[in-house]
Amino acid sequence: MRTLNNMRKDAGLDISDRIHVVYQAQGEVAAALANFADYIRQETLALTLNAADLQDPLVLLTVEIRDEKVTLALRKA
């Protein structure tokens, strides 16, 4: 959630702006994102959080979580 909120900030979005988020992840990280999707959406004001490719992302970032690479992308809703 911190990474997504930092991505929002870096993109110049207002705190109240709604977003769409997609991710590419494997293993435990993918399972955690799926299991906690409702909570993550609520905390980041995301309308969607899906494992997919996002067309025309505003911000795209690859991070490492628990030794697994995760690509996150978001755009304003």
Side-chain angles (χ1 to χ4, degrees):
M1 289 180 301
R2 180 184 302 172
T3 299
L4 286 172
N5 283 326
N6 286 338
M7 290 171 68
R8 292 170 56 93
K9 181 180 169 184
D10 292 345
L13 297 175
D14 290 330
I15 192 147
S16 61
D17 288 335
R18 300 292 179 162
I19 58 173
H20 294 286
V21 178
V22 296
Y23 63 88
Q24 293 177 334
Q26 302 286 326
E28 290 180 12
V29 175
L33 288 167
N35 289 336
F36 294 98
D38 289 338
Y39 180 69
I40 295 167
R41 279 194 302 272
Q42 182 180 23
E43 292 297 312
T44 60
L45 296 181
L47 296 176
T48 58
L49 175 66
N50 299 309
D53 289 326
L54 181 65
Q55 300 298 318
D56 301 318
L58 180 60
V59 181
L60 178 71
L61 180 67
T62 299
V63 296
E64 199 164 303
I65 301 172
R66 295 187 174 233
D67 297 326
E68 295 183 35
K69 290 189 186 237
V70 179
T71 300
L72 300 165
L74 65 83
R75 68 176 164 87
K76 187 175 176 179

